[in-house]
Amino acid sequence: MMKPFIFLRIRLLVFVLLAFVPAIGLTLFTFADQRHHATEQAKDTALQLAHTATSSYERLILQTQSVLTGLAQLPALRQPIGTDCPKILRARMDEFLYYANIGVADIDGNLICSALPTNGRVNIADRPYFWRAVASGDFAIGEYQVGRVTGKGTINFGYPMLDARGRVGQVVYAALDLAWLNDFAANANLPPGSSVTVLDRKGTILARFPDSDAWVGKSEPEAPIVAATISGGEGTVEAAGLDGVARLYGFVPLQTGRGGSALFLSVGIPKAAALQEATRDLARNALAVTIFGTLALLAAWAGGNHFVFEPVNRLITAAERLGRGELSVRSGLPHDTGEFGRLAITFDSMAAALQSRQTQLEQAREAERQERERAERQLRHTQALRAVDQAITGSLDLRLTLAVVLDQVVGELHADAADVLLIDPHSQELFYGAGRGFRGNTIIAHRLRLGEGYAGRAVLDRRTVSIHDLGAAADFSRRHLVEEEGFVAAFMTPLVAKGQIVGVLEIFQRRPFQPTAEWLEFLETLAGQAAIAIDNAELFQRLQRANVDLTLAYDTTLEGWSRALDLRDKETEGHTQRVTDLTVRLARAMGLREEEMAHLRRGALLHDMGKMRIPDSILLKPGPLTDDEWAIMKKHPAYAFELLSPIAHLRPALEIPYDHHEKWDGTGYPRGLRGEQIPMAARIFAVADVWDALRSDRPYRPAWPQERALNYIREQAGKHFDPVVVQVFLGMVERPAQD
Ligand code: C2E
Ligand code: SIN
Ligand code: SIN
Ligand code: FE
Ligand code: FE
């Protein structure tokens, strides 16, 4: 869409119009010049016509003189009365045009013969043509008058007729009317609106063509044209006629007789007619100027579009788009040597420079962004490795640690799925250890022989194997991973710890994937961590296995000991085992933690360990003990403490051997602890021990029946025993089936 460029267009059009000023000026000048010439020419024409009229009038006078001279010789006219004089005169009048009448007067001026019939007596003695002819004895010209016979405005001419004695006896005259003027005017081929006027010296209109009737007799000596005409000379003038029409006049005096002019003639050509051609030329020129001017304006408009506005519009549009940040925009104008070409070169190179600057800026930003991303990635990698480290050091559960490793693999390496295959040393097979991102379960069940497939090759070659197109990989045995999981690419890295292969880390991608060196490096770092985790776990498992073996050996030994102790006590056969079982059951019923059971059990087994140092005389005495004997007997918990405390493995089990004779009310031994000062294990054990002791034969007394023993336990709650333990114990003994 092109902009309107209103102001620019107006300026351009004004310039085009200015170019037409000389043409208009020339037209007007031509018009003025033509007009001047036409005016002068018309004036000349008018003057010339006036001369022609005068000449023709003077010829008429000469003719009239010769006619009158001829008539004066006719004898018939000397004796006119009663003769055919009027007939002769009429014949003569008919012969010539323009004569209104021809007549003969006697010396007294009485009309004695006339071509036209007369009405009564007519005297012309007062007429100048008459008395001049009489006085001069020669041809005489009269003045404008209205004839007494004709009743018309005429100019009359008189000629004396001499009698036998040579004296003037009569005067013959001719009345010339001014109809000749009409004929002259009609023949002169005057432009329409022209006028021919005859004036007398008073300025009275004697004849006028055209419209003679309307004007003849009117007298306006003051009117400029009248004044000029009757001034006496000949000349031209531009003036308004008495009818108001502007005309160009030529005027001359008419010689009407000797002794000065009496008549004046003017020919007026209408100015409009004179200027008709000039005006027509002006109109034609003006039309031409208008047409060419309009064409030029149209050309300027169209040419302006093509040569100016189109390029300007393109430049403006391009500049606006550039301003909006479209740096790829170019003017699209040809790079020629014209102004627009140079402007386009400048604009385009400016846009190109801007674009190149922008590109550089973007590249710099991109580099900066990549650098920042790389730094962030490094940080995340470090954090990932820390997370793995923490998992390795914080947990001995291999599955947990591998889960953490795989989380980092999937997260940081953007893997779609990953797993760790472990080595089964017995079958020499790789089996699934842990995985992430798998849709199905087939990966779990599948086992691979070492050396089989790509994972096997990674183990044998001790290097990462990359498969970029699993679908086309002939050696990939686990086709189901392609078909079910949609994997496209895979990376298998051997897990090597202390030089030993402990497994394979596998990465799967569902889309084509091109790893970077950084990616591969981090993969191998994580693989190293996974290998350490696996190695640690195996180490721990071995250790744990050794520990379990050792513990089993210990406990077996302890049981042997306790059986030996029981045997020494003679009648307490099976007591320790029963008490131990009961103690564990009670402890569980009391809600003690499972980890404490091993110590509880060991403590129970060894509770009377101290009796080892009690002499048989006291231990096996069939009756009650003396005070001294009691004093020794009461040392057996302390002896147990002394015997067992150096053995670190048994230290957590010491509570029962040391405190099993403490009482709830504080009256027990060896330390006289009370209530909750007594370790829970010892409080639980005490109930089990006394119960079993009472129900057993002792060297010093036979076994008590159940009811009595139960009553005793019940009665000792809050004294000897922790009431809560007693309650739990009683509940257990009274409802043994539920236990
Ligand atoms: P033990 O025989 O294993 O008895 C353990 C505990 O069961 C006794 O701790 C006591 O609290 C309870 N007990 C056992 N028999 C009876 C009984 O007949 N009546 C009552 N009320 N409680 C009984 P105690 O009393 O501290 O005795 C510790 C150990 O001293 C006994 O172990 C036993 O080896 C020895 N002993 C205790 N009284 C006698 C006695 O009169 N003659 C001899 N030869 N030894 C005794
Ligand atoms: C326009 O036409 O839009 C302005 C051009 C000018 O003023 O030069
Ligand atoms: C005439 O012919 O009309 C008479 C002459 C005159 O009036 O002078
Ligand atoms: Fe004891
Ligand atoms: Fe006991």
Side-chain angles (χ1 to χ4, degrees):
M1 184 62 199
M2 194 155 96
K3 294 167 190 311
F5 294 111
I6 299 303
F7 298 111
L8 209 55
R9 263 178 214 287
I10 288 172
R11 278 183 222 172
L12 184 70
L13 297 187
V14 165
F15 281 130
V16 171
L17 282 179
L18 281 179
F20 273 83
V21 166
I24 294 166
L26 193 64
T27 302
L28 292 177
F29 173 79
T30 305
F31 175 62
D33 191 50
Q34 232 181 339
R35 184 191 159 101
H36 175 74
H37 276 98
T39 303
E40 292 307 310
Q41 207 175 349
K43 281 179 178 173
D44 286 352
T45 305
L47 187 58
Q48 219 170 330
L49 284 170
H51 276 296
T52 309
T54 308
S55 306
S56 130
Y57 178 60
E58 281 166 358
R59 263 199 318 279
L60 266 178
I61 292 171
L62 287 175
Q63 174 199 305
T64 303
Q65 190 175 1
S66 102
V67 167
L68 290 182
T69 305
L71 284 175
Q73 310 303 318
L74 290 180
L77 267 59
R78 291 178 190 276
Q79 302 294 322
I81 293 136
T83 66
D84 52 358
C85 168
K87 210 181 284 174
I88 293 166
L89 293 183
R90 195 171 303 118
R92 210 76 180 128
M93 192 172 81
D94 290 343
E95 203 175 320
F96 297 96
L97 291 172
Y98 314 130
Y99 294 129
N101 198 12
I102 297 175
V104 180
D106 63 19
I107 193 69
D108 296 323
N110 295 315
L111 191 61
I112 51 174
C113 176
S114 164
L116 294 183
T118 59
N119 196 4
R121 290 176 63 87
V122 176
N123 191 280
I124 57 169
D126 58 323
R127 301 294 197 191
Y129 65 88
F130 175 80
W131 53 258
R132 280 181 193 149
V134 173
S136 63
D138 200 355
F139 181 70
I141 300 175
E143 297 187 349
Y144 180 76
Q145 58 168 58
V146 175
R148 286 171 185 147
V149 175
T150 61
K152 287 181 179 175
T154 57
I155 290 172
N156 291 8
F157 305 85
Y159 193 80
M161 296 173 70
L162 302 180
D163 59 18
R165 296 179 299 251
R167 287 185 309 197
V168 177
Q170 291 165 308
V171 171
V172 61
Y173 76 90
L176 184 67
D177 76 15
L178 294 176
W180 65 270
L181 199 61
N182 287 335
D183 284 356
F184 162 78
N187 291 328
N189 211 5
L190 290 168
S194 295
S195 71
V196 181
T197 312
V198 177
L199 299 168
D200 65 12
R201 71 161 66 85
K202 291 190 203 99
T204 304
I205 297 174
L206 304 184
R208 186 179 185 276
F209 168 89
D211 301 328
S212 135
D213 292 345
W215 291 101
V216 168
K218 298 243 162 68
S219 175
E220 282 186 53
E222 302 302 317
I225 177 59
V226 175
T229 306
I230 63 178
S231 63
E234 68 167 55
T236 60
V237 69
E238 180 179 337
L242 294 178
D243 57 359
V245 176
R247 291 193 183 83
L248 301 163
Y249 289 93
F251 55 88
V252 292
L254 270 179
Q255 297 303 315
T256 56
R258 318 230 152 73
S261 58
L263 297 181
F264 306 88
L265 184 139
S266 74
V267 174
I269 296 173
K271 210 174 151 182
L275 298 183
Q276 193 177 26
E277 198 180 345
T279 309
R280 202 178 54 229
D281 283 357
L282 173 70
R284 199 188 55 215
N285 288 350
L287 183 66
V289 167
T290 305
I291 288 171
F292 286 116
T294 305
L295 288 177
L297 289 179
L298 288 175
W301 187 278
N305 276 352
H306 184 261
F307 293 109
V308 180
F309 300 119
E310 183 71 37
V312 168
N313 186 52
R314 283 211 203 173
L315 281 168
I316 288 176
T317 305
E320 282 171 351
R321 287 173 59 192
L322 191 68
R324 286 197 298 268
E326 283 180 52
L327 299 185
S328 62
V329 77
R330 296 294 180 271
S331 67
L333 295 174
H335 285 191
D336 53 30
T337 53
E339 283 79 359
F340 282 118
R342 300 215 306 267
L343 207 52
I345 291 170
T346 310
F347 179 89
D348 289 347
S349 47
M350 176 183 76
L354 278 174
Q355 193 180 19
S356 127
R357 281 290 302 277
Q358 178 72 8
T359 307
Q360 284 171 7
L361 203 65
E362 275 166 8
Q363 281 169 352
R365 282 211 196 108
E366 177 62 17
E368 193 186 328
R369 194 184 60 74
Q370 282 179 0
E371 176 54 31
R372 205 175 303 152
E373 270 183 8
R374 202 191 58 77
E376 276 170 17
R377 213 159 46 231
Q378 291 275 288
L379 181 64
R380 276 206 318 275
H381 286 180
T382 308
Q383 286 167 343
L385 290 176
R386 258 184 66 78
V388 174
D389 274 347
Q390 278 173 351
I392 292 171
T393 51
S395 163
L396 291 165
D397 185 338
L398 179 60
R399 275 169 213 288
L400 209 70
T401 308
L402 289 182
V404 172
V405 171
L406 290 176
D407 280 346
Q408 301 304 333
V409 165
V410 168
E412 295 307 308
L413 294 177
H414 306 290
D416 288 326
D419 66 67
V420 170
L421 300 179
L422 299 172
I423 293 176
D424 180 343
H426 303 295
S427 62
Q428 287 291 295
E429 282 176 335
L430 288 167
F431 65 97
Y432 174 86
R436 274 284 183 283
F438 293 94
R439 289 169 184 160
N441 287 327
T442 43
I443 185 79
I444 295 174
H446 202 88
R447 294 174 80 95
L448 285 170
R449 275 176 289 104
L450 278 184
E452 182 193 354
Y454 290 99
R457 188 184 299 171
V459 171
L460 289 186
D461 295 356
R462 290 179 167 252
R463 59 166 186 82
T464 301
V465 175
S466 306
I467 309 112
H468 295 289
D469 184 0
L470 281 178
D475 286 357
F476 190 62
S477 56
R478 291 171 288 170
R479 308 304 311 177
H480 53 86
L481 290 180
V482 178
E483 287 145 17
E484 292 166 20
E485 298 282 351
F487 294 142
V488 170
F491 303 87
M492 285 112 183
T493 300
L495 303 178
V496 184
K498 296 176 197 138
Q500 291 293 311
I501 303 276
V502 295
V504 177
L505 172 60
E506 296 188 305
I507 311 279
F508 293 101
Q509 302 287 23
R510 292 195 169 92
R511 270 165 296 173
F513 181 77
Q514 203 58 48
T516 61
E518 188 191 323
W519 189 91
L520 283 170
E521 194 185 324
F522 191 57
L523 168 62
E524 284 172 6
T525 306
L526 283 172
Q529 296 293 98
I532 290 169
I534 295 166
D535 187 53
N536 269 8
E538 279 183 356
L539 206 61
F540 175 68
Q541 273 176 6
R542 275 198 296 275
L543 207 64
Q544 224 175 11
R545 226 171 285 128
N547 217 26
V548 166
D549 290 351
L550 203 64
T551 307
L552 274 176
Y554 245 115
D555 289 352
T556 311
T557 306
L558 289 184
E559 275 177 38
W561 277 3
S562 69
R563 222 172 291 125
L565 288 174
D566 280 2
L567 284 174
R568 189 174 162 240
D569 227 348
K570 297 251 191 284
E571 302 196 31
T572 61
E573 170 68 44
H575 163 73
T576 298
Q577 197 56 52
R578 282 195 307 275
V579 170
T580 299
D581 291 345
L582 183 54
T583 300
V584 170
R585 283 169 62 206
L586 263 177
R588 285 211 175 99
M590 292 288 294
L592 265 67
R593 285 178 296 129
E594 215 45 44
E595 301 93 280
E596 295 179 44
M597 297 305 169
H599 304 305
L600 204 73
R601 171 177 287 279
R602 284 177 209 135
L605 284 171
L606 297 171
H607 74 279
D608 269 347
M609 179 78 170
K611 281 186 183 170
M612 292 246 298
R613 287 175 63 176
I614 304 297
D616 281 356
S617 60
I618 298 172
L619 186 69
L620 303 176
K621 186 179 175 182
L625 301 175
T626 66
D627 285 354
D628 292 344
E629 286 167 340
W630 255 120
I632 293 165
M633 179 56 80
K634 282 184 172 177
K635 284 184 179 169
H636 80 273
Y639 289 153
F641 187 87
E642 284 169 28
L643 283 167
L644 300 175
S645 62
I647 304 169
H649 180 65
L650 296 176
R651 206 168 296 135
L654 265 175
E655 287 172 345
I656 291 174
Y658 194 36
D659 291 327
H660 70 285
H661 285 301
E662 299 287 356
K663 293 185 178 177
W664 185 256
D665 60 7
T667 60
Y669 62 92
R671 292 185 283 170
L673 300 177
R674 61 161 65 228
E676 289 179 356
Q677 290 177 328
I678 308 161
M680 176 57 86
R683 277 185 264 153
I684 293 170
F685 177 81
V687 174
D689 189 37
V690 171
W691 164 256
D692 194 82
L694 291 175
R695 295 285 288 127
S696 307
D697 289 331
R698 280 287 181 267
Y700 55 93
R701 55 135 188 86
W704 287 14
Q706 169 163 320
E707 207 51 41
R708 188 182 170 191
L710 276 178
N711 283 339
Y712 181 77
I713 299 287
R714 204 177 282 128
E715 186 259 331
Q716 285 296 314
K719 296 176 188 168
H720 187 162
F721 307 120
D722 177 346
V724 177
V725 179
V726 170
Q727 202 182 339
V728 172
F729 167 79
L730 290 175
M732 196 186 288
V733 175
E734 279 160 12
R735 286 176 277 110
Q738 289 191 337
D739 188 62

